[in-house]
Structure formats: C-alpha cells, structure tokens
Amino acid sequence: MIITLDGPAGSGKSTVARKVAARLQIAYLDTGAMYRAVAWKCLQESVDLADHDGIIEIVRESRISLDCGPTHTRVMMDGQDISEAIRSMETNQATSFIAREPAVRRVLVEQQRRLGAELGSLVSEGRDQGSVVFPHADAKFVLDADIEKRAERRFHEMCADGIDLTFEQVLENLRLRDGNDQCQWAPLLEPGQAIIIDTSKLRIDEVVEILLEHVKTACNH
Ligand code: DC
C-alpha cells in the first residue's frame, strides 16, 4: 500500500505521516530530508547555488541513507550523520533553491521510487509524492494550513530544537520558501486528485484519524 502526503512547510505533514505510518505499521519516507541532505553538502563544499553543474555533481556522487523513526529521521550523507545539521535555517533556505534543479529532482525521484519498490508499503511525504513520484498511490493527501499557523508550528519546533529565531524571522523564511517551492518541478496535487485537508484548526491526532478513515475506505474499494 502506498500513501502519499504532500503539502507546504509547516502544514503538519511530517508528524502526521509518521503517526499514520506507525498506526498502519508500514514504513515512512521523509523525502524532504533527501533534498536537505543535498543542500547541506552543497553548503559544505561551497558550491554556488546558481552553479547547476556543481550541484548536479554533488547529487550524483552523494550516498544518502535514511532511517525514518517514529519521532525523528536520521540522515546519513556519505557515512556521516547530518540529521541535526539539515534542519538549520541556512539549510532550509538552500534546500528550496536546489530543489528547483530538474537534475536533482530526477536523481532523487529515482531513488524514492526504488525505495518505494523495496519497501512495498509506505507513507511517503513531500511536495510531489502523489503527483510525480507515486502517481498510482492507493491514497493521496495534501495537507495545508494558513501561513501564520504554519509559522507558529515551525517556530515552536525550532524553539524546541534550541534554534534561536524570532517568530517574524520564521514567518519571513516560510514566505520565501513557499515562493520557491511552488514551482513546476514540485507540483502540489490539484483538487480532485487528492484529499485536501486544511489543518489550521485541527489537532494532529484529529488529522491522523481523518487520514486513517480515508485510507480504510480506499482499501475497501
Ligand atoms: O518537507 P521539508 O520542509 O523537509 O522540505 C525541505 C525542502 O525540500 C522544501 O524546500 C521543499 C523541498 N522538497 C521538494 O521540493 N520535494 C519533495 N518531495 C520534498 C521536499
């Protein structure tokens, strides 16, 4: 069974995807972590984010591995654990640039499909999982929420991770990322192709229950 969960930053999709996967006892795939890992390496190797060839070389030579656990995703790049480093504000920003690079997307989409085939059943979370990576998924969801609410969630997460930023900085960063993410290479599904859930006024556990209900219905058809 393949379930896709797409949506903008701060829509709650990572937490929801993890919980749904745990309830169904299937794998969870955090595809944003793969894009983050490539961006992190570009920053480490001082590759200019406008240097297409440099970025492509990085993605081709990288060995990314993921361990998506019930609370956190551990990310290894060429054998080094970069799980915390990829969550910095600098990496956030760089990721939304490199994710626009078609060659990067091609390589990572290929890796995601391979992982999907190996795992068999999974909840895959990102921006293009239902539209590009797994167009034949059994159930597709898009989570959304208004930008203030998304910024509030991100702000609390970052405070909990000890990242020192103001709410306004987080809000501004989200605005920039929304602009970059809504590009043709990471199309979010349109209404009708997926179940769209506005999470602004819902608790995480309520969203999880709604999704599980839909998955049950999809499985009975
Ligand atoms: O979901 P996230 O915040 O970890 O995603 C990090 C960045 O990667 C964000 O800028 C969107 C991009 N991304 C993407 O373009 N396609 C995906 N499948 C997943 C993430």
Side-chain angles (χ1 to χ4, degrees):
M1 183 202 321
I2 297 186
I3 299 169
T4 61
L5 195 44
D6 293 303
S11 56
K13 62 188 186 322
S14 305
T15 317
V16 170
R18 270 198 183 86
K19 285 182 185 282
V20 169
R23 286 277 291 274
L24 297 172
Q25 299 194 323
I26 59 176
Y28 156 61
L29 179 61
D30 175 359
T31 63
M34 299 169 84
Y35 287 91
R36 287 171 180 271
V38 173
W40 174 86
K41 190 161 169 184
C42 288
L43 292 173
Q44 289 299 302
E45 311 235 326
S46 305
V47 172
D48 190 316
L49 297 179
D51 173 6
H52 299 270
D53 294 341
I55 296 174
I56 293 164
E57 208 180 309
I58 293 278
V59 72
R60 293 221 170 106
E61 68 174 29
S62 294
R63 280 185 302 113
I64 305 168
S65 63
L66 296 183
D67 177 6
C68 300
T71 53
H72 275 86
T73 298
R74 307 286 338 151
V75 186
M76 307 291 284
M77 167 62 86
D78 305 325
Q80 184 186 348
D81 189 334
I82 56 167
S83 314
E84 274 78 39
I86 60 164
R87 305 287 162 191
S88 73
M89 204 62 148
E90 193 192 11
T91 312
N92 275 352
Q93 211 65 67
T95 308
S96 63
F97 277 99
I98 67 102
R100 288 192 293 186
E101 186 59 61
V104 170
R105 299 203 75 83
R106 270 199 298 278
V107 172
L108 295 186
V109 164
E110 174 76 13
Q111 289 181 11
Q112 290 156 20
R113 287 188 180 139
R114 213 176 312 132
L115 279 168
E118 280 167 23
L119 293 164
S121 282
L122 78 162
V123 178
S124 196
E125 175 235 316
R127 300 293 187 288
D128 56 351
Q129 298 304 291
S131 53
V132 175
V133 184
F134 300 112
H136 304 300
D138 302 280
K140 299 181 186 183
F141 298 94
V142 172
L143 299 193
D144 203 358
D146 54 55
I147 191 160
E148 296 274 337
K149 187 71 200 174
R150 291 192 282 123
E152 197 183 301
R153 287 177 182 152
R154 270 288 142 111
F155 177 63
H156 288 304
E157 273 168 25
M158 291 188 141
C159 287
D161 287 344
I163 299 170
D164 185 22
L165 284 167
T166 64
F167 173 77
E168 283 67 31
Q169 285 172 311
V170 175
L171 181 63
E172 186 48 33
N173 180 265
L174 266 192
R175 284 211 173 93
L176 274 170
R177 287 180 61 195
D178 276 3
N180 284 337
D181 289 352
Q182 249 118 64
C183 69
Q184 56 177 316
W185 300 106
L188 288 174
L189 284 162
E190 295 298 326
Q193 295 177 286
I195 292 154
I196 301 177
I197 303 170
D198 185 334
T199 67
S200 309
K201 296 195 173 72
L202 295 171
R203 293 193 317 270
I204 291 292
D205 56 320
E206 292 175 314
V207 182
V208 170
E209 293 307 324
I210 295 171
L211 254 76
L212 287 170
E213 234 1 88
H214 282 293
V215 170
K216 212 190 308 169
T217 313
C219 288
N220 290 333
H221 278 97

